[in-house]
Amino acid sequence: SFRREAYNLVGKICQFAPSLILSESASHLKMAPLIPNLLSSEKESSSFSPLLEMVLTYFAALRNEHSNILWEKLDSVAFTKSLSKSLRRACYGAPASAWSPMILPLVAS
């Protein structure tokens, strides 16, 4: 799907060219407030893994580039709520082989 490929693209940009997203001129924290909405709006089960990977890659790049302003713009309550909702939606009733690759990056970080 288009969204899955967009998540992959943003994740790769965060990983290999973080200055494109995190530069001072690009208002690097404009993406942070959007993350809870991304998590709660995703409906396609095959897109959850690339979405979570993109979020983790973004946070890692943000931490490496701007550790002094790490979580200022992210609403942690909204993030936690939408992450748990997404995980319930993605994992409920699915076999472990479908959701375990999604959970591993969260557990490992």
Side-chain angles (χ1 to χ4, degrees), residues 11 14 31 35 49-63 71 79 83 101-109:
C14 288
M31 189 170 142
I35 291 175
S49 186
L51 171 60
L52 292 176
E53 197 170 316
M54 186 244 351
V55 168
L56 290 174
T57 307
Y58 174 73
F59 286 156
L62 183 62
R63 184 187 66 216
W71 306 113
F79 174 75
L83 179 63
M102 237 182 338
I103 302 296
L104 185 59
L106 291 172
V107 173
S109 59

Side-chain angles (χ1 to χ4, degrees), residues 9-90:
L9 176 63
V10 173
K12 294 298 180 192
I13 290 172
C14 288
Q15 185 176 8
F16 296 112
S19 61
L20 293 175
I21 290 182
L22 302 174
S23 70
E24 293 296 329
S25 62
S27 288
H28 56 276
L29 290 176
K30 284 190 175 185
M31 189 170 142
L34 300 176
I35 291 175
N37 291 335
L38 281 173
L39 287 169
S40 62
S41 68
E42 186 55 61
K43 306 282 188 252
E44 189 178 330
S45 61
S46 64
S47 295
F48 281 107
S49 186
L51 171 60
L52 292 176
E53 197 170 316
M54 186 244 351
V55 168
L56 290 174
T57 307
Y58 174 73
F59 286 156
L62 183 62
R63 184 187 66 216
N64 292 338
E65 296 289 321
H66 304 285
S67 59
N68 56 337
I69 52 172
L70 185 56
W71 306 113
E72 285 178 0
K73 299 283 184 175
L74 181 68
D75 181 1
S76 59
V77 173
F79 174 75
T80 306
K81 207 179 266 191
S82 50
L83 179 63
S84 69
K85 182 188 220 181
S86 297
L87 290 175
R88 275 182 279 154
R89 190 179 317 125

